[in-house]
Each structure stands twice: as C-alpha cells, then as structure tokens.
Amino acid sequence: MESSAVLGGLQPNYLLYPSRNPSSSLPLRPFSFTSHSFPLSLKLQKQLPLTSHGAAAAAAAASPIGGYTTLSDSSETSELADIDWDNLGFAFLSTDYMYVMKCAQGGNFPKGELQSFGNIELSPSAGVLNYGQGLFEGLKAYRKEDGTILLFRPEENALRMRLGAERMCMPSPTVKQFVEAVKATVLANRRWVPPPGKGSLYIRPLLMGSGAVLGLAPAPEYTFLIYVSPVGNYFKEGVAPINLIVEHELHRATPGGTGGVKTIGNYAAVLKAQSAAKAKGYSDVLYLDCVHKKYLEEVSSCNIFVVKDNVISTPAIKGTILPGITRKSIIDVARSEGFQVEERQVAVDELLDADEVFCTGTAVVVSPVGSITYLGKKVSYGEGGFGVVSEKLYSVLTRLQMGLSEDKMDWTVELG
C-alpha cells in the first residue's frame, strides 16, 4: 500500500526542538514506523497522545481541539481530530507531525524524517531571517467518501520549487523527494484531513536558508520542511463573489525580479496595499504592471481571468507573474471544455466591459469577482454568484480534485 511504500524508510530524529523554555531540552517523541505500531491502514494509535512538546504542547492544551471522532468506510474506522469541521476557516491549526530534511550549500538533500510538530530553532544570523532566502509552496489533500486521500498535482509544486530554488541560489529536493515527503506528511497527519465536503488539508512545504551567514551570500545550510493544517475557504466570503480594488501606485513585482517564483519576500511586499484595501471593505488588491501601469498582473495571492463573449483571457507568464498550478489546470480544463483561452497582455480597461472575472489559486481554487474598483469607478459583474463560465470550470476542477469524477487528466495521486 501507499503508506508502507512512502513511510518505510524514514527514521526519527531530534534535529529540531521547540522554542527555548525549560522543557526544550526534552527530545521530540519520534514517529514510529514498525509494523507493530504502524499498521498499513495508517490508523493513529489512540493510546499515543499525538501532541508536541514544550510551547507547542501548551498551545495545544489551550486549543479547542479535543479527542477523537470516527469516520467509517468500507474497510476500517479511521480517527478524525475532534474539531468543528463545519466551521473551518483559512487559519492555522497545529497538527501532529512535520517533515524535515537538511543539506549543505552545494550538496544534495538526503532522506528526510518525520518528527512531532513544534517550534524550530534558527540562528539569528540565518540566511532566511537576514536576507529572505526562502521559498514556499502550497497544495491540498482531499478525503474521498471511501476514506482514501487525494493529492492534486504535487509534482507541479516540486518542479516550481526547483525553479525558484535555482533563482534564489538554493539547493532543492528532487521531484521524487518532494512528492514522497508530501505523501509521508499527509499520511502521518491523516486524522486532520477534513471529511468529504468539509474542506481540505493545506500542505505547506518550505525551503529556507537555515545556516548562519553575516555577509550577503547564500546560506551554508538549507532546511526543507513540510507542515499541514486543515482549512476551509480562503476568503471570508466563501464562494460568494469577492470585491477587488486596482492598485496603481504600489507594485507587486518588477521585470528581472522574483515575481515569477514563490519566494517569501513577494508576499510581504503586498501587505501594505492589501491592508489598506481591506480597511476600506475590499477583499483584496489587483496589481498592474510596473512599466506601463495599465496591464493586469495578479491579485495578492491569486491569478486573474477575464471572460468576454466566452473567450477567457489571462495575463501571460513573463517573469513578473507566478505560474500558478491552479491557473495552469483551469486553462487546460477550459480548453478541454471547448473554451478559447488566450494568454496575453490584458489591459485594465478590458475589465470595464467584461462578462465575468474570476481568480484562481491553491487556496481559493476558483473565486468569482463581484466587483472591481479602478480610479474610483466600480464595475460589477453577475448577480451575486458565479458566472456561467467560472461556475462550469469550478465544478469540473473541484469534482476532479475531490475524486467525484473520473480523472482523465491523470492529475490526482491517491493515498491509501
């Protein structure tokens, strides 16, 4: 089965510890993979309280997370974390395990290891803290009605991280290492994968310069880490339309910069405009190119699509826009459904007479846009819900992700 193949070679380690406090000298409880304590069904043992230590354990004790509920399927009873699955938002919830591996600059990552989730220690001179040498990815796992778990295109995230690592002068896990690490982390935390229709398990791989460096240079050591959290909708509106404002002074990325890779600094740069927009009641910000200040780029963490006369247009990937995996998937789905899709420069003026506008991203999947405000003028779309095109694409993609339709694209990876 998938669980034995993925997890069989992993060993516990004690390289990362909780934050400094009297209990931080305690070693992290290892994750055992013996056949006696880790059956192929990957049911987590009730007699082992899966909590982290130190500060993380104290936080867990204060959280509303309780014991266990059960999910029945045709072959076994799997345990679910006892949380309010009907009211998941997009906020972090501490889970059981994280995956870690390290390597030196110029080296290759060795086999990684699972350990109890907890805080990590970094030198104050770590490259990621001083010079922003870090990348992250985001993908999701879904639970099917029969209890199996699906990943969506994890190899695409692995490839994107490798491209970003090359730009940021960092070593990166191989595609195989990345995908196997994702599988192991999800299986170890499977009680946190929401029941069908209640949400998804958000998976956050990180790659960072963890070694100490004082002068401006690549860090001498790197850490690859994966943690997970159950999530619901990204926007508070859920799948209701969001309201955007076009930002024409501040910019997300510049030609020749790092806008086309998923480096951590790209996201800190949008916080000022995003915070100002939310204070005025908008959901998020739509950015323009920094040269002409007239062509659409992307929303803070989403790609943008414009529909006119059943033709779907989206800004072309030219180094300043993140090549979103959901974006790529929506384009393929749209073409398979007979839509014409154009990847090109899209002028902001085209928003004024568009039939529909929608956003795509791992967190939001597909989010309809209800209105866009540009230079004080507000343009509204639709009747307060999905447009015809975006609803069709949302339905096709989400049914595929959740295992409700045949995966003719060969995009999903099933875990036992």
Side-chain angles (χ1 to χ4, degrees), residues 230-269:
V231 297
N233 292 313
Y234 181 78
F235 288 114
K236 64 180 178 64
E237 293 89 347
V239 293
I242 60 172
N243 301 298
L244 302 178
I245 184 170
V246 176
E247 174 58 53
H248 54 90
E249 293 296 334
L250 301 178
H251 297 282
R252 177 191 168 275
T254 60
T258 59
V261 298
K262 207 167 176 69
T263 182
I264 57 178
N266 289 351
Y267 296 84

Side-chain angles (χ1 to χ4, degrees), residues 7-20:
L7 302 171
L10 298 178
Q11 299 296 326
N13 75 38
Y14 309 98
L15 296 177
L16 295 182
Y17 297 87
S19 59
R20 295 182 187 273

Side-chain angles (χ1 to χ4, degrees), residues 12-84:
N13 75 38
Y14 309 98
L15 296 177
L16 295 182
Y17 297 87
S19 59
R20 295 182 187 273
N21 58 50
S23 65
S24 65
S25 60
L26 295 174
L28 293 172
R29 177 177 44 74
F31 190 96
S32 174
F33 300 108
T34 66
S35 60
H36 298 290
S37 62
F38 200 85
L40 289 179
S41 65
L42 203 73
K43 287 192 293 185
L44 302 178
Q45 304 301 301
K46 284 188 179 180
Q47 65 267 30
L48 294 178
L50 297 178
T51 57
S52 48
H53 296 277
S63 78
I65 300 170
Y68 302 93
T69 58
T70 61
L71 177 75
S72 297
D73 60 48
S74 58
S75 61
E76 65 179 12
T77 299
S78 300
E79 295 162 351
L80 282 174
D82 187 13
I83 62 175
D84 185 359

Side-chain angles (χ1 to χ4, degrees), residues 136-153:
F136 74 92
E137 279 295 329
L139 62 159
K140 288 179 176 178
Y142 296 87
R143 190 186 295 273
K144 294 173 62 178
E145 291 290 346
D146 65 2
T148 58
I149 296 169
L150 291 180
L151 303 176
F152 184 71
R153 309 190 78 175

